């Protein structure tokens, strides 16, 4: 019995042990299965779900890519002989902080600063403490001369982590007044990158800021190249031989500007605050565009570019403004060319009918004085009123025979109050008032006095010098205005092959009869031969036509006015051989009525192929030339 009992007990014990063993094995199997499932899911997630992301990260880790900047395209004048803008070799110095041995950062940064001519604080600003373990290259200074690079190279053992690279800069060969046309470049800003990121621009892009540099930045940019090397996870270079994709330089631009005429116009205007425009009316090509004061774009290549910009921005004469397209003025008596056209086209009054100018006219409570001559011009018809610039004639005809609506309509017919579409990134449209505008703006009724002011180019009407040049171009072309433009051709770098010619485009075409234009042309010629411009615009070699203007300016001392001249010539040449010139000399200058003299000098030098000095001598204007101190 004992043996049986013992055997049964042992069997039961063995059975329990077997069950426990089975449970343990099952548990372990389940645990192993769960572990494999978890790892399987994780591997699936890493390889399939997040595989693309990790592959991209691994590629970034395994390769170091440096951008090779592309040379910007060069810019030429219309003769395309010598560039106005080129790229100059320069260097940038970089630092990889993590390659500096521990504890030596301050020593290395101080030595580097001394070579670069800056302070250690300047280096520390570029390399803050949180970046001092980074293997990324940090630019410390750009526009470093070769002599400095040589000094660094000779002492490179004392400068671990320091390297240099080529970084070309924009060299503006021609400065002066052409600065407003060409503009300048600079580092792209955060605001610009937000707008232009999808156009291929990057955080380190150099972009045009003003002028042609900005207007045609996409053509000038080129395509940057790349240099890539294999590195380890800590950023150490593994491969010695880089993979290089060379950059493609930007396209070259040929402008409509004639550098000889540009320099002639610049000297003719002189150091007087104002502007001058030379236009080819048959095509809209701008041959010269001068604005004074101007600036040197090369100032913006320096490390002090921001302070130079601030200095120029706060200068009282505003040298950064292109007055030819971005400043507006009352057109003054040049506007009488539009009034004459309107009077003839509307048959508002017989051109032969004479109106008496007694020197003054009373309208309501206001007294209007003809400032050209007192006690008056006497009886004048339309032709002689234009020639003598008689205000009273135009006051009366504008008020009694035309009215504000027709005057505004003809102003817009000539392009006033509208964008002229010139290929520059900024331009003023000017302004043409209407009776409805005044009621909305000032809550006042338009008066006959407003119409009288408008009739002589005063009051609310505002134009740019380019608007005035286009006004004369429309008269030359007998009712057609072509879009003024500065770009003539786009060329391939290296081969110099022309890939695009800029054709003329019609901006506006008038329905005014050709006979009207002929009469206006003859009247403008009469202004030069027998009118207000007969002395300053007297030219024995070339027949000229045009209109003077003297604009009153509020807030300027007495006997100071804007001086205008708008002219074209040769009068007896086909329109394809004619040129338009518009000049304004602002009231801030000493009053000398210089605009017509400057205009005549430009015509003489341009048409006779003479220098400024030769033209002045030929015209007998030597006695008028003063020694001046350059303004800023």
């Amino acid at each position: 019995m004992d043996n049986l009992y013992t055997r049964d007990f042992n069997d039961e014990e063995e059975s329990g042990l077997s069950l426990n063993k089975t449970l343990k094995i099952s548990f372990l199997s389940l645990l192993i299965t769960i572990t494999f499932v978890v790892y399987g899911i994780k591997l699936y997630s890493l390889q399939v779900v997040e595989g693309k992301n990790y592959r991209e990260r691994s590629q970034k880790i395994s390769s170091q890519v440096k951008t090779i900047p592309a040379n910007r395209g060069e810019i030429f004048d219309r003769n395309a002989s010598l560039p106005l803008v080129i790229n100059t070799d320069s260097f940038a110095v970089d630092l990889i902080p993590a390659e500096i041995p521990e504890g030596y950062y301050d020593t290395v940064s101080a030595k580097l600063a001394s070579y670069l001519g800056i302070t250690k604080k300047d280096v520390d600003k570029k390399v803050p403490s949180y970046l001092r373990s980074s293997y990324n290259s940090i630019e410390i200074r750009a526009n470093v001369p070769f002599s400095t690079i040589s000094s660094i190279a000779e002492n490179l053992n004392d400068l671990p982590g320091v390297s240099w690279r080529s970084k070309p800069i924009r060299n503006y060969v021609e400065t002066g007044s052409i600065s407003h046309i060409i503009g300048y470049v600079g580092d792209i800003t955060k605001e610009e990158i937000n707008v232009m990121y999808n156009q291929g621009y990057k955080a380190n892009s150099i972009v045009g800021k003003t002028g042609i540099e900005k207007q045609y930045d996409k053509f000038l940019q080129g395509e940057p190249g790349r240099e890539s090397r294999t590195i380890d996870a800590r950023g150490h270079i593994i491969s010695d031989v880089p993979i290089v994709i060379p950059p493609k330089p930007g396209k070259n631009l040929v402008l409509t500007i004639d550098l000889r005429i540009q320099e002639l116009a610049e000297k003719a205007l002189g150091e007087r605050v104002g502007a001058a425009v030379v236009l080819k009316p048959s095509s809209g090509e701008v041959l010269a565009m001068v604005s004074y004061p101007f600036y040197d774009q090369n100032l913006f290549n320096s490390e002090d570019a921001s302070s130079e910009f601030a200095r120029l921005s706060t200068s009282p004469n505003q040298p950064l403004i292109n007055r030819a397209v971005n400043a507006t003025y009352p057109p003054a008596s040049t506007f009488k060319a539009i009034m004459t056209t309107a009077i003839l086209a509307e048959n508002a009054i017989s051109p032969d009918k004479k109106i008496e100018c007694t020197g003054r006219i009373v309208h309501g409570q206001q007294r209007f004085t003809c400032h050209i001559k007192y006690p008056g011009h006497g009886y004048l018809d339309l032709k002689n009123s234009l020639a003598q610039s008689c205000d009273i004639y135009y006051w009366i005809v504008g008020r009694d025979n035309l009215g504000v609506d027709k005057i505004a309509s003809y102003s817009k017919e000539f392009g006033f109050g509208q964008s002229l579409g010139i290929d520059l990134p900024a331009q003023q449209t000017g302004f043409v008032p209407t009776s409805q505008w005044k009621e909305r703006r000032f809550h006042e009724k338009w008066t006959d006095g407003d119409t009288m002011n408008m009739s002589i180019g005063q009051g609310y009407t505002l134009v740019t010098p380019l608007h005035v040049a286009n006004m004369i171009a429309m008269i030359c072309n007998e009712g057609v205005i072509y879009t003024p433009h500065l770009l003539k051709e786009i060329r391939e770098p290296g081969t110099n092959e022309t890939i695009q010619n800029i054709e003329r485009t019609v901006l506006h075409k008038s329905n005014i009869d050709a006979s009207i234009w002929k009469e206006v042309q003859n009247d403008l010629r009469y202004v030069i031969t027998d009118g207000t411009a007969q002395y300053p615009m007297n030219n024995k070699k070339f027949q000229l036509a045009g209109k003077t203007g003297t604009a009153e300016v509020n807030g300027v001392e007495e006997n100071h006015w804007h001086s205008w001249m708008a002219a074209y010539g040769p009068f007896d040449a086909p329109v394809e051989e004619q040129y338009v010139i518009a000049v304004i000399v602002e009231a801030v200058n000493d009053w000398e009525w210089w605009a017509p003299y400057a205009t005549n000098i430009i015509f003489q030098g341009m048409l006779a192929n003479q220098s400024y000095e030769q033209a002045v001598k030929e015209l007998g204007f030597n006695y008028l030339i003063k020694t001046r101190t350059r303004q800023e």
Side-chain angles (χ1 to χ4, degrees), residues 601 613-626:
I601 292 169
E613 292 76 15
Q614 291 170 330
V616 167
K617 184 178 180 181
E618 182 79 18
L619 294 170
F621 288 168
N622 302 70
Y623 71 98
L624 294 169
I625 307 304
K626 300 176 182 178

Side-chain angles (χ1 to χ4, degrees), residues 534-566:
Q534 61 181 311
Y535 298 112
M537 288 292 289
N538 179 40
N539 194 304
K540 296 178 181 178
K541 287 190 175 182
F542 306 103
Q543 295 184 26
L544 307 176
K547 183 70 189 78
T548 56
T550 306
E552 296 181 14
V553 184
N554 294 328
V556 177
E557 60 184 282
E558 190 177 355
N559 296 325
H560 279 68
W561 303 274
H562 294 324
S563 171
W564 276 105
M565 187 69 215

Side-chain angles (χ1 to χ4, degrees), residues 2 27 38 42 47 206 343 362 368 429 459 506 535 542 559 574:
D2 290 339
F27 177 77
V38 170
K42 185 63 176 177
Q47 294 181 15
I206 302 295
I343 291 168
V362 177
F368 293 82
T429 59
V506 175
Y535 298 112
F542 306 103
N559 296 325

Side-chain angles (χ1 to χ4, degrees), residues 479-596:
V480 179
I481 300 177
Y482 295 101
T483 303
H485 59 277
L486 290 161
L487 182 62
K488 184 173 181 281
E489 298 171 0
I490 301 173
R491 295 187 179 184
E492 197 69 49
T495 65
N496 207 32
E497 177 188 356
T498 300
I499 57 178
Q500 185 178 345
N501 286 304
I502 308 303
E503 304 294 337
R504 71 178 186 179
T505 57
V506 175
L507 180 66
H508 182 71
K509 189 170 184 178
S510 172
N511 293 322
I512 297 174
D513 190 83
S515 62
I516 302 294
W517 297 114
K518 290 292 185 185
E519 192 165 351
V520 175
Q521 291 171 359
N522 290 329
D523 288 353
L524 290 177
R525 172 63 181 156
Y526 191 65
V527 172
I528 305 299
T529 59
D530 293 83
T532 56
Q534 61 181 311
Y535 298 112
M537 288 292 289
N538 179 40
N539 194 304
K540 296 178 181 178
K541 287 190 175 182
F542 306 103
Q543 295 184 26
L544 307 176
K547 183 70 189 78
T548 56
T550 306
E552 296 181 14
V553 184
N554 294 328
V556 177
E557 60 184 282
E558 190 177 355
N559 296 325
H560 279 68
W561 303 274
H562 294 324
S563 171
W564 276 105
M565 187 69 215
Y568 74 97
F571 177 76
D572 53 347
V575 68
E576 292 77 17
E577 299 174 16
Q578 290 178 334
Y579 303 90
V580 167
I581 298 176
V583 176
I584 185 170
V585 178
E586 290 189 15
V588 296
N589 302 279
D590 293 335
W591 174 247
E592 54 186 336
W593 202 41
W594 184 251

Side-chain angles (χ1 to χ4, degrees), residues 215-356:
Q215 182 73 19
Y216 294 108
D217 191 75
K218 288 183 179 179
F219 290 109
L220 293 166
Q221 271 287 333
E223 297 179 20
R226 293 189 305 167
E227 177 183 305
S228 60
R229 294 175 182 268
T230 304
I231 59 174
D232 62 19
R234 290 178 59 85
H236 295 295
I237 296 173
I238 297 173
S239 63
D240 293 328
V241 181
I243 299 172
V244 178
I245 300 175
K248 295 180 181 178
K251 302 291 188 290
N252 292 338
L253 303 183
V254 178
L255 304 184
T256 61
I257 295 293
D258 188 314
L259 190 58
R260 185 184 74 84
I261 300 174
Q262 179 77 17
E263 292 174 348
L264 175 66
E266 179 182 315
K267 289 183 176 181
L269 180 64
E271 294 170 3
R272 302 170 179 87
V273 178
V277 175
V278 181
L279 186 69
K280 199 169 182 182
S282 61
S283 65
E285 291 177 290
V286 178
L287 302 182
M289 180 181 285
V290 173
S291 176
Y292 185 85
F294 36 77
Y295 61 96
D296 183 351
Q297 311 102 298
N298 292 307
L299 292 172
F300 301 130
N301 285 332
S302 68
E303 290 292 322
D304 298 325
S306 58
S307 60
E308 290 291 348
F309 181 82
R311 180 179 65 85
L312 293 171
S313 298
T314 55
S315 178
N317 283 331
Q318 300 177 297
L320 295 177
I321 291 180
N322 183 352
R323 285 169 162 79
V325 293
N326 287 324
T328 57
Y329 311 88
S333 290
T334 64
F335 188 76
K336 290 169 184 173
I338 295 178
M339 288 292 293
T340 298
T341 307
I343 291 168
L344 293 170
E346 291 292 323
N347 198 21
I349 186 174
S350 171
D352 298 323
K353 183 177 180 180
K354 294 182 179 181
I355 294 176
E356 184 182 11

Side-chain angles (χ1 to χ4, degrees), residues 131-151:
L131 287 178
R132 291 177 189 173
S133 60
S134 171
Y135 280 94
N136 291 323
S137 181
I138 300 172
E139 182 179 297
I140 303 300
R141 192 172 177 86
N143 196 15
V144 178
F146 180 74
S147 58
T148 301
I149 298 299
S150 298
S151 299

